[in-house]
Amino acid sequence: MVTLRQRPTVATTEPEPVLENCVDDLTILSDDQDSPSDAAVKHLRGSWELASVLNFLNVFRPLISENLKVTAEEIEMGIIDSDATNAQLHIALLKGIPPVNNKSLEDGGDAWITALCKKLDPWWPSIANGEIPVTANKGEEISGYKGLDPTDRLQFLKALCELRAQQDDARKYIQDNANEGALNPCFGKRKLGGDGKKTSYWFDGNDILGYRLYKEVNEISKSAKARKNVFSHASCFCWETEATNLDEFQRVARELSSSKSSSLAAVGKTIETDAIPVVEKFHKKKERAIKKKMRQEMFVSANISRPIRFTRSCRNRKPVTYTFDEYDKMITDAVEDTDETDRDDEEGIEQQSDISKTEEGAPESDNGDVKEIEKSKEDSEEKIQFGAKNRMRQRLTRNSALC
């Protein structure tokens, strides 16, 4: 009988972490001590269920949701913190399992947890081991789910993926790909090799989830009852995540390439030639996306922090109204201006004619009268010019106001 379990933790005699930088009641651990979230991530990566879930999302992504673009790291943190990413992933899977209550799944709350418990409860014995950790119970399942250990939440997600794979559209999706002559490469993990005994290395992922290197260990243990029969044994598979980024891939490749075992050295060479170029390309693409996002954030923050500058305002224009009353008023004002101009011109001409007549009839010997006449003539000319300029200025002002 084949059973799946997590590799047991080996006890070590390493000294406890040294406490440093103790200030009053604040105690800071040394850098060698991992944070709780890092420890939870390592614990998840040591389970085969996480690799199975990521492979399922890689294979059936066209059926789940094309808009669901989450990385493997975001899925890990979503399982640990039970955040919005975890809810989004579960809702996308639940929508593919009939009957579907879209109202409860799209309300933006925690109703999806109740739907999850109701979906998995009747199917749990056939898709998971043991008893279901949380069942639907008048809303108490929401707090119960959030209080679970991350490994238990991973069990929920793994069971949900198993149930989603049993739906008709998933089976048709596999059949359609099989009828084309060759299965899609994403339908199976790629085996890079192993030592030929109990250790194997697998490579899996895509440009959205990311790429990972897994180590499979098949341990054979013989019990006291099984020793009577040399052919009876129990096999235990341990599935661990060896590398998740470019640095870790390169480190594993160097370690395996320098191994004394020729089979493990061959695996290291395969990782260098086949896996690392793909991971390196993905890493550069990810770096470009991060730099682009940083530039956008810097641009937004610079615009927010920039002082507000008031530019010179344009000339205020009077709003135009195209009514008959405004048009009639404009025509009447123009006619009045013309009549005033004509009257002023006539008065100026009459004054000039009177002055000329007075000059003609005045005696030549009366120098004082002649000077007075000339002075009055100059004054009248200045008044005429000033009146004409004033009327022109008023007309220009009125036309600009009308515009």
Side-chain angles (χ1 to χ4, degrees):
M1 179 179 179
V2 179
T3 59
L4 298 173
R5 67 172 178 83
Q6 184 184 354
R7 169 176 283 184
T9 304
V10 180
T12 61
T13 58
E14 296 179 357
E16 296 180 359
V18 180
L19 300 179
E20 299 177 353
N21 303 331
C22 298
V23 181
D24 297 335
D25 296 335
L26 179 63
T27 303
I28 303 175
L29 294 176
S30 61
D31 295 337
D32 296 335
Q33 184 71 13
D34 293 334
S35 63
S37 60
D38 294 337
V41 169
K42 289 182 179 179
H43 191 59
L44 286 178
R45 291 178 180 178
S47 60
W48 65 272
E49 289 88 353
L50 179 63
S52 178
V53 167
L54 296 179
N55 180 253
F56 174 86
L57 297 176
N58 182 23
V59 174
F60 294 98
R61 180 176 171 271
L63 291 182
I64 299 171
S65 177
E66 290 290 344
N67 298 325
L68 186 64
K69 297 181 179 180
V70 293
T71 63
E73 289 78 9
E74 291 174 345
I75 293 174
E76 291 172 346
M77 296 308 299
I79 295 173
I80 294 171
D81 299 332
S82 186
D83 56 9
T85 301
N86 188 50
Q88 182 184 6
L89 178 58
H90 282 77
I91 290 173
L93 292 171
L94 287 170
K95 287 183 176 180
I97 304 174
V100 181
N101 187 358
N102 291 324
K103 184 178 180 180
S104 62
L105 296 178
E106 296 178 356
D107 63 350
D110 296 326
W112 63 270
I113 298 177
T114 304
L116 175 67
C117 295
K118 290 181 179 180
K119 293 277 189 184
L120 296 181
D121 192 9
W123 294 93
W124 189 267
S126 60
I127 58 179
N129 296 326
E131 296 182 358
I132 185 171
V134 179
T135 58
N137 186 16
K138 299 180 180 180
E140 294 182 0
E141 66 277 359
I142 296 176
S143 59
Y145 176 85
K146 292 184 177 180
L148 290 176
D149 187 78
T151 55
D152 292 330
R153 284 197 286 267
L154 178 60
Q155 293 291 336
F156 266 97
L157 181 57
K158 172 65 171 59
L160 184 61
C161 292
E162 292 285 349
L163 184 58
R164 182 65 181 88
Q166 296 180 10
Q167 304 306 310
D168 295 337
D169 58 345
R171 294 177 179 177
K172 186 176 183 301
Y173 177 68
I174 298 173
Q175 185 178 2
D176 292 343
N177 282 272
N179 292 336
E180 293 178 358
L183 283 175
N184 194 323
C186 68
F187 271 82
K189 302 180 183 68
R190 180 181 177 183
K191 186 176 181 179
L192 300 179
D195 60 0
K197 297 179 181 179
K198 62 178 182 179
T199 304
S200 302
Y201 290 88
W202 301 80
F203 178 65
D204 189 34
N206 56 30
D207 288 341
I208 297 176
L209 290 171
Y211 295 92
R212 296 199 165 191
L213 179 67
Y214 301 103
K215 179 182 178 181
E216 177 193 2
V217 179
N218 182 9
E219 297 179 346
I220 300 176
S221 61
K222 294 183 179 180
S223 62
K225 295 181 179 180
R227 290 174 185 173
K228 297 180 181 179
N229 186 354
V230 294
F231 297 102
S232 62
H233 63 273
S235 298
C236 299
F237 291 94
C238 298
W239 195 276
E240 299 175 355
T241 304
E242 286 291 302
T244 60
N245 53 48
L246 181 60
D247 295 336
E248 293 178 357
F249 270 90
Q250 293 174 345
R251 175 183 57 79
V252 174
R254 288 193 301 267
E255 293 176 355
L256 294 177
S257 298
S258 60
S259 176
K260 295 180 180 180
S261 175
S262 59
S263 58
L264 293 180
V267 174
K269 295 295 183 182
T270 304
I271 294 174
E272 290 179 356
T273 56
D274 296 347
I276 289 182
V278 178
V279 178
E280 189 174 8
K281 183 179 179 180
F282 170 73
H283 180 71
K284 291 181 179 179
K285 181 180 178 181
K286 188 176 180 180
E287 281 188 342
R288 289 195 296 267
I290 293 173
K291 290 180 180 179
K292 182 179 179 181
K293 184 177 180 181
M294 291 176 62
R295 287 196 299 267
Q296 292 175 351
E297 291 177 353
M298 291 175 62
F299 178 76
V300 173
S301 61
N303 288 338
I304 294 175
S305 60
R306 184 179 298 173
I308 300 175
R309 297 180 181 179
F310 296 96
T311 58
R312 185 169 61 91
S313 61
C314 298
R315 181 168 59 115
N316 294 329
R317 296 180 180 272
K318 184 178 179 181
V320 180
T321 55
Y322 299 95
T323 60
F324 290 105
D325 295 338
E326 294 291 337
Y327 181 77
D328 294 340
K329 182 179 179 182
M330 183 178 64
I331 295 299
T332 304
D333 294 340
V335 172
E336 291 179 355
D337 292 340
T338 304
D339 294 339
E340 291 179 358
T341 303
D342 295 340
R343 285 196 298 271
D344 293 339
D345 294 340
E346 291 177 357
E347 290 178 357
I349 294 171
E350 291 178 356
Q351 291 179 359
Q352 289 181 356
S353 61
D354 293 340
I355 293 171
S356 60
K357 290 180 180 179
T358 305
E359 291 178 352
E360 291 177 357
E364 295 180 356
S365 59
D366 195 356
N367 295 330
D369 295 339
V370 173
K371 292 180 179 181
E372 291 180 357
I373 293 171
E374 291 177 354
K375 185 177 180 180
S376 60
K377 181 179 180 182
E378 292 176 358
D379 294 339
S380 62
E381 290 177 354
E382 290 178 357
K383 290 181 180 180
I384 294 171
Q385 293 177 359
F386 178 78
K389 291 180 179 180
N390 191 23
R391 289 190 298 273
M392 183 62 70
R393 190 181 298 109
Q394 292 177 354
R395 184 178 300 175
L396 293 174
T397 304
R398 187 179 295 105
N399 292 335
S400 63
L402 290 175
C403 294

